[in-house]
């Protein structure tokens, strides 16, 4: 195996305990809130929402219960339920302790598949009491996701609830892992030219996931006696009595093998759902040629890809870890499986639906990877093969691929109460549900992890900046350089409970004492000597102003990117940077805000620099903004906004917008654009349809504002009143990667902007 064929591993993203606690505590505690979907502003709104208007749907549902899916949240609501007896890898810590995990699961449902979810923690370890609690909750939900319940109770609970309830009941610890692993195995068998019916498989671990994998693979075509299930006592064979139960007995094989080592001798594939170190070197050596190893124990696999590579070079390996290729990640399954089940109002999630999801995932991995995913790999586009048998979680095609397969299987097997007639329209609806945060930021972070950078955090003495720098390093994004006085930084860190001692990846540079001080001062003097600055002015700026020092580091190649702004106004910080860094030749420096709201991503410009741009400047702002959209993986559709639309009402200020469009016409740019138009015309398909001559083929994703003040006001209002996530303003058009956060930014804001700087979103 050559070096470029060996499994690649990125530094595992980590964080401190304090970072995790702060994340969950800051602002509104927890990770969820309830937001009304209907207006609640007037007395009429309240009358419709509650009494007396609510009586109308009540009577309708009483007469026809299926109408609850039309008039309530039931059609898009899943309950995530646990008793905390098997929390992640932490064990039985109780129902209350499981709540952060269940909230997190609810967030993943919403983020990846737009499924609304609520977490419910049931404080009992008695299976019958748990069942009796959950069974009566059916009218509230369209599905039940069971989570972190220990075996064998999880089997009893799921089986009984499936019998008692007329909605899908799905234990993700069992079936989620089984479906994703089965998808990867389908492709591994294809690559090694194996027949599923003749393949010998060992499953090590007879808990919830191990038994679910065994059941699913047998249902897909594995011969029963070719699948050997093992637990801590060895092979589960016919006639064994020690440590057995009805679920293990159902998979007892006729075999002479008694130990895991016996079972693996000559085996084609192995699923590890057990513990770190369970697979020895000799076991791996004894397997058949081109073996398939899924080492899925978390957080540490049964054997690592590096260890396997030292033993033999013909292996296909998958793990549960994100820092290795072929990650078996449940987020590829449960959000999309429930999405499909909910959309056809399925009464259950049956075996056929699970098999359909596995095959859909496997087929997706064989397709050409879209640019949006390839962008994370910066030129090394992943292709179907030994290191790419399972799609990555931020693949935008998951949202329409898996639900469609699940929905079709539900219809084919007769468990769909509301079949979908137009699958093409359904695919479009699914694509529209995709949360851009899951794609946009994940894609940026993944690419930066693959190509980590040295980023200067200019305000290194501030607590939130220190936290951000530590998080940047812990997430595997690169090295962080804190600019400030060493004693002050360490003092601040100690007071905040942050441990910086011996931290790899974090450097501290004191501007006044730096050995590069004289070089930076001379560099700055050569730039500013004809702009009224003496050498001592430049020396003072380098010694005393961290923005000038940090920007000089980037300008002279001592760092790759810079982030600042937490303690200074945006315009002040930008002016400091512009003393050191020029505009990129042929480009205009502008500010672009990235707005992520209700499943849509929209870029807004200029939000920071040009107060009253003229027509030429507006055209150039449009070009720069379109470039940012493309670097984010979007095909730009640019709307030049005004209070008027295509000449009505007539106004002198709208004329410059019209002129900017004419300038773009003359420049023959390669993106869609039009204007002048009002914001609702640009963003609402129905309103846009009143202007069939518009050049935009769909709603705009880049908005060019007529002035700085309107851009700044609108984005800040959207963030505060509309619940949008706003990143920026992003500095675009500089010759070096520099980003400026808003005054008083949180550590999370700073990390995001540092990642954007490292990604070089500004061009």
């Amino acid at each position: 195996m050559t070096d470029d064929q060996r499994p690649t591993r990125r530094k595992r993203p980590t964080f401190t305990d304090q970072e995790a606690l702060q994340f969950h505590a800051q602002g509104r505690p927890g990770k969820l809130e309830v937001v009304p979907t209907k207006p609640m502003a007037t007395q009429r709104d309240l009358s419709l929402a509650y009494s007396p208007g609510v009586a109308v749907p009540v009577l309708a549902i009483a007469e026809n219960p299926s109408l609850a899916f039309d008039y309530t949240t039931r059609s898009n609501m899943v309950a995530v339920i646990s008793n905390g007896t098997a929390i992640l890898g932490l064990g039985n810590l109780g129902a209350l302790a499981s709540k952060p995990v269940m909230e997190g699961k609810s967030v993943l449902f919403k983020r990846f598949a737009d499924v609304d979810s609520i977490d419910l923690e049931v404080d009992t370890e008695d299976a019958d009491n748990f069942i009796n609690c959950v069974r009566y909750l059916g009218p509230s939900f369209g599905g039940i996701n069971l989570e972190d319940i220990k075996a064998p109770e999880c089997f009893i609970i799921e089986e009984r609830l499936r019998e008692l309830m007329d909605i899908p009941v799905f234990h993700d610890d069992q079936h989620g892992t089984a479906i994703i692993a089965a998808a990867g195995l389908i492709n591994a068998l294809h690559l090694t030219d194996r027949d599923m019916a003749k393949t010998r498989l060992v499953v090590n671990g007879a808990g919830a996931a191990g038994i679910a994998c065994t059941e699913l693979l047998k249902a897909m075509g594995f011969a029963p006696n070719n699948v050997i299930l093992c637990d801590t006592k060895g092979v589960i064979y016919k006639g064994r009595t020690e440590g057995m139960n009805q679920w293990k007995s159902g998979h007892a094989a006729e075999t002479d093998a008694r130990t895991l080592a016996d079972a693996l001798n000559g085996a084609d594939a192995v699923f590890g759902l057990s513990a770190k170190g369970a697979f020895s070197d000799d076991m791996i050596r004894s397997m058949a040629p081109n073996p398939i190893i899924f080492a899925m124990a978390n957080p540490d696999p049964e054997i690592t890809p590096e260890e396997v590579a030292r033993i033999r070079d013909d292996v296909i390996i998958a793990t549960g870890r994100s820092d290795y290729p072929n990650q078996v990640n449940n987020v590829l399954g449960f959000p999309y499986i429930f999405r499909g089940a909910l959309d056809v109002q399925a009464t259950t999630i049956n075996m056929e639906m699970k098999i359909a999801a596995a095959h859909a995932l496997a087929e997706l991995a064989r397709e050409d990877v879209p640019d949006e995913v390839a962008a994370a790999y910066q030129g090394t586009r992943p292709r179907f093969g030994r290191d790419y048998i399972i799609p990555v979680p931020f693949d935008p095609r998951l949202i329409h691929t898996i639900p469609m397969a699940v929905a079709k299987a539900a219809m084919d097997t007769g468990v769909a109460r509301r079949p979908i007639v137009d699958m093409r329209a359904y695919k479009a609806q699914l694509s529209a549900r995709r949360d851009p945060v899951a794609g946009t930021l994940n894609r940026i972070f993944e690419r930066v992890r693959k190509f980590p950078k040295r980023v200067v955090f200019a305000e290194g003495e501030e607590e939130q900046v220190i936290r951000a720098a530590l998080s940047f390093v812990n997430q595997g994004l690169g090295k962080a350089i804190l600019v400030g006085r060493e004693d002050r930084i360490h003092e601040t860190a100690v007071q905040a409970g942050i441990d910086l001692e011996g931290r790899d990846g974090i450097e501290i540079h004191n501007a006044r004492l730096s050995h590069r001080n004289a070089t930076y001062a001379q560099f700055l003097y050569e730039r500013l000597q004809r702009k009224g600055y003496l050498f001592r002015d430049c020396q003072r700026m380098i010694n005393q102003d961290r923005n000038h020092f940090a920007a000089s580091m980037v300008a002279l190649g001592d760092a790759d990117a810079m982030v600042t702004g937490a303690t200074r106004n945006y315009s002040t910080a930008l002016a400091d940077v512009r003393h050191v860094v020029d505009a990129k030749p042929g480009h205009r420096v502008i500010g672009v805000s990235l707005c992520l709201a209700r499943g849509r991503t929209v870029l807004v410009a200029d939000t920071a620099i040009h107060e009253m741009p003229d027509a030429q400047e507006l055209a150039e702002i449009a070009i720069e903004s379109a470039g940012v959209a493309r670097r984010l993986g979007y095909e730009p559709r640019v709307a030049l906004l005004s209070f008027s639309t295509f000449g009505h009402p007539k106004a002198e200020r709208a004329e410059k917008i019209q002129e900017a469009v004419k300038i773009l016409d003359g420049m023959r740019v390669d993106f869609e654009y039009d204007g002048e138009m009002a914001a609702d015309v640009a963003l609402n398909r129905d309103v846009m349809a009143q202007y069939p001559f518009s050049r935009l083929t769909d709603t705009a994703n880049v908005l060019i504002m007529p002035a700085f003040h309107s851009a700044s006001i609108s984005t800040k209002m959207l963030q505060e009143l509309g619940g949008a996530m706003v990143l920026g303003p992003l500095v675009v058009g500089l010759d070096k990667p520099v980003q400026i956060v808003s005054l008083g930014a949180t550590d999370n804001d700073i990390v995001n902007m540092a990642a954007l700087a490292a990604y070089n979103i500004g061009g």
Side-chain angles (χ1 to χ4, degrees):
M1 181 180 288
T2 62
D3 287 343
D4 60 353
Q5 292 174 319
R6 294 186 186 279
T8 56
R9 180 186 178 187
R10 296 184 297 273
K11 183 178 179 182
R12 187 180 179 193
T14 58
F15 45 82
T16 65
D17 290 352
Q18 189 175 24
E19 283 181 290
L21 292 173
Q22 185 182 29
F23 174 86
H24 286 82
Q26 65 187 2
R28 189 190 297 261
K31 299 185 286 286
L32 297 169
E33 66 176 339
V34 176
V35 178
T37 59
K38 302 295 188 295
M40 295 291 162
T42 67
Q43 182 60 49
R44 183 175 184 274
D45 295 337
L46 297 177
S47 297
L48 286 168
Y50 196 55
S51 182
V54 75
V56 180
V58 166
L59 294 172
I61 293 169
E63 184 175 342
N64 181 1
S66 68
L67 292 176
F69 290 103
D70 297 314
Y71 300 139
T72 74
T73 61
R74 195 182 189 209
S75 63
N76 197 50
M77 180 67 74
V78 167
V80 177
I81 307 181
S82 180
N83 64 0
T85 53
I87 303 174
L88 298 174
L90 303 174
N92 184 353
L93 298 179
L96 186 59
S98 75
K99 186 170 177 61
V101 183
M102 301 310 116
E103 283 187 2
K105 192 78 175 222
S106 295
V107 169
L108 295 178
F109 266 114
K110 185 65 177 179
R111 180 169 180 173
F112 286 99
D114 194 25
V115 172
D116 293 320
S117 177
I118 193 72
D119 64 290
L120 298 171
E121 291 71 40
V122 180
D123 192 13
T124 179
E125 295 186 22
D126 183 273
D128 290 334
N129 289 340
F130 188 98
I131 291 164
N132 285 330
C133 173
V134 175
R135 65 179 293 191
Y136 297 114
L137 299 174
S140 299
F141 302 101
I144 303 292
N145 184 98
L146 300 174
E147 192 80 15
D148 289 357
I149 303 170
K150 68 182 176 69
E153 287 85 350
C154 62
F155 304 123
I156 300 168
I157 289 169
E158 185 193 44
E159 183 178 342
R160 187 76 177 116
L161 288 175
R162 283 167 59 91
E163 294 171 355
L164 292 170
M165 304 181 80
D166 66 346
I167 56 175
V169 178
F170 184 86
H171 185 212
D172 187 47
D173 298 320
Q174 297 180 55
H175 309 300
T177 300
I179 290 165
I180 313 310
L185 184 58
I186 290 169
N187 282 335
L189 294 176
H190 174 81
L191 288 168
T192 56
D193 196 26
R194 283 185 167 97
D195 181 355
M196 186 178 288
K198 298 177 182 178
T199 299
R200 289 182 54 200
L201 170 71
V202 177
V203 178
N204 188 45
I211 287 177
C213 286
T214 303
E215 290 178 347
L216 179 61
L217 292 172
K218 287 181 178 179
M220 291 173 66
F222 271 81
N225 278 325
N226 280 347
V227 181
I228 296 180
L229 182 63
C230 299
D231 62 10
T232 55
K233 300 183 184 303
V235 171
I236 295 172
Y237 58 89
K238 286 192 175 179
R240 189 181 118 173
T241 58
E242 185 182 9
M244 297 294 285
N245 57 41
Q246 68 188 77
W247 296 279
K248 292 181 183 181
S249 296
H251 298 290
E254 289 191 11
T255 177
D256 294 330
R258 292 295 181 264
T259 67
L260 175 60
D262 294 341
L264 281 174
N265 188 17
D268 298 298
V270 60
F271 274 16
L273 297 145
S274 49
K276 176 183 178 181
F279 300 158
S280 70
D281 293 8
D282 288 341
M283 291 178 187
I284 302 304
R285 287 192 190 96
S286 73
M287 294 181 71
N290 294 306
I292 301 163
I293 301 171
F294 280 32
M296 296 178 280
N298 259 324
D300 297 303
E302 287 82 357
I303 192 167
T304 68
E306 293 97 337
E307 290 168 335
V308 168
R310 288 194 293 268
I311 301 167
R312 56 193 301 175
D313 62 3
D314 60 344
V315 176
I316 294 177
I317 184 166
T319 72
R321 292 267 293 266
S322 62
D323 49 353
Y324 292 119
N326 300 328
Q327 183 193 15
V328 179
N329 188 336
N330 282 20
V331 81
L332 292 166
F334 70 85
Y336 310 110
I337 292 166
F338 269 100
R339 177 76 276 153
L342 290 170
D343 289 340
V344 294
Q345 295 174 17
T347 57
T348 188
I349 294 174
N350 57 30
M351 185 63 76
E352 290 83 359
M353 293 161 74
K354 289 181 272 190
I355 292 173
H359 279 290
L361 273 169
E363 290 165 11
L364 183 60
R366 300 185 199 185
E367 296 179 10
D368 287 337
V369 172
D371 290 343
E372 193 165 355
V373 174
Y377 294 83
Q378 202 173 36
T380 55
R381 183 184 295 267
R383 297 190 183 280
F384 177 61
R386 288 174 175 263
D387 286 342
Y388 189 75
I389 58 174
I390 304 172
V392 290
F394 50 86
D395 192 319
R397 300 168 297 176
L398 288 164
I399 184 61
H400 61 75
T401 301
I402 312 307
M404 287 181 67
V406 171
K408 186 176 185 304
M411 293 187 287
D412 291 344
T413 55
V415 299
R417 281 180 281 214
R418 184 171 293 180
I420 295 168
V421 177
D422 188 344
M423 293 299 283
R424 181 176 297 181
Y426 179 50
K427 180 177 181 179
Q429 292 169 7
L430 289 169
S431 296
R433 285 183 177 273
R434 179 173 167 258
D435 186 341
V437 177
T440 301
L441 289 182
N442 275 341
R443 187 170 63 254
I444 288 168
F445 274 62
E446 283 301 312
R447 195 180 87 175
V448 175
R449 286 191 187 106
K450 192 170 182 65
F451 301 95
K453 299 291 192 294
R454 285 166 51 88
V455 175
V456 186
F457 293 75
E459 299 146 309
E461 295 178 2
E462 303 300 316
E463 179 182 332
Q464 73 267 39
V465 176
I466 297 171
R467 290 188 186 281
L470 183 61
S471 178
F472 184 85
V473 172
N474 285 341
Q475 292 186 59
L477 300 171
K479 293 185 177 180
I481 300 170
L482 292 168
V483 178
R485 292 163 291 184
E486 294 89 337
D487 57 345
R488 187 65 62 86
I489 290 173
H490 283 291
E491 181 182 342
T492 302
V494 169
Q495 290 175 352
I498 303 169
D499 182 12
L500 288 182
E501 295 298 331
R503 285 278 180 179
D504 291 335
I506 293 184
E507 301 175 12
I508 298 175
H509 287 231
N510 186 324
R512 183 181 291 276
L513 303 179
S514 171
H515 71 280
R516 297 283 282 162
N517 184 296
T519 302
Y520 295 161
Q522 184 61 38
F523 168 74
L524 188 60
Y525 179 56
E526 290 173 3
R527 290 178 54 82
L528 301 181
Q529 59 191 358
R530 293 183 179 273
K531 297 180 181 180
Y533 291 85
L534 301 175
F535 180 81
R536 62 173 176 265
D537 298 324
C538 297
Q539 183 71 67
R540 185 172 58 252
M541 285 190 283
I542 293 297
N543 285 348
Q544 300 179 8
D545 188 272
R546 290 159 196 164
N547 282 340
H548 287 90
F549 181 86
S552 296
M553 291 188 73
V554 177
L556 293 181
D558 294 332
D560 299 308
M562 166 187 170
V563 63
T564 187
T567 63
R568 298 190 191 183
N569 289 319
Y570 194 98
S571 57
T572 302
L574 181 60
D576 293 341
V577 171
R578 292 298 302 272
H579 282 152
V580 184
V581 180
D582 291 325
K584 182 176 290 188
H587 290 259
R588 177 173 292 278
V589 179
I590 65 170
V592 176
S593 290
L594 182 64
C595 300
L596 310 166
R598 302 188 68 83
R600 299 173 71 174
T601 301
V602 177
L603 280 72
V604 182
D606 175 1
T607 51
I609 296 170
H610 294 83
E611 184 177 356
M612 291 293 292
D614 59 26
Q616 181 65 39
E617 289 170 332
L618 285 170
E620 293 174 3
I621 290 169
I623 293 170
E624 291 290 345
S625 302
V628 176
R630 285 206 167 116
R631 288 192 288 279
L632 287 169
Y634 299 98
E635 189 55 37
R637 295 185 300 276
V638 180
L640 288 89
L641 297 188
S642 176
F643 62 88
S644 60
T645 299
F646 299 123
H648 181 79
K650 291 185 179 297
E652 182 179 344
R653 289 190 176 183
E655 292 177 0
K656 69 174 183 178
I657 314 295
Q658 299 166 8
E659 181 61 26
V661 172
K662 292 177 182 177
I663 292 171
L664 289 171
D665 291 343
M667 299 175 75
R668 300 184 182 275
V669 296
D670 62 347
F671 55 84
E672 292 183 21
Y673 61 92
D674 209 348
E676 87 280 18
M677 64 177 69
D680 58 340
V681 178
L683 297 172
N684 187 307
R685 286 189 184 90
D686 293 334
V687 179
M688 182 181 285
Q690 299 175 34
Y691 303 92
F693 53 84
S694 172
R695 302 171 181 176
L696 299 184
T697 59
D698 202 347
T699 55
N701 53 18
V702 179
L703 306 179
I704 307 304
M705 293 292 191
F708 168 16
H709 58 267
S710 58
S712 179
I713 291 169
S714 61
T715 52
K716 289 177 180 177
M717 286 184 64
L718 184 63
Q719 185 171 21
E720 295 301 324
L721 299 179
M725 179 178 182
V726 178
L727 296 177
L730 310 175
V731 182
V732 176
L734 284 175
D735 201 29
K736 297 291 182 180
V738 176
Q739 292 301 332
I740 302 171
V741 300
S742 299
L743 189 66
T746 66
D747 57 344
N748 192 56
D749 296 331
I750 298 168
V751 172
N752 287 339
M753 292 297 274
L756 288 163
Y759 182 87
N760 198 9
I761 194 69

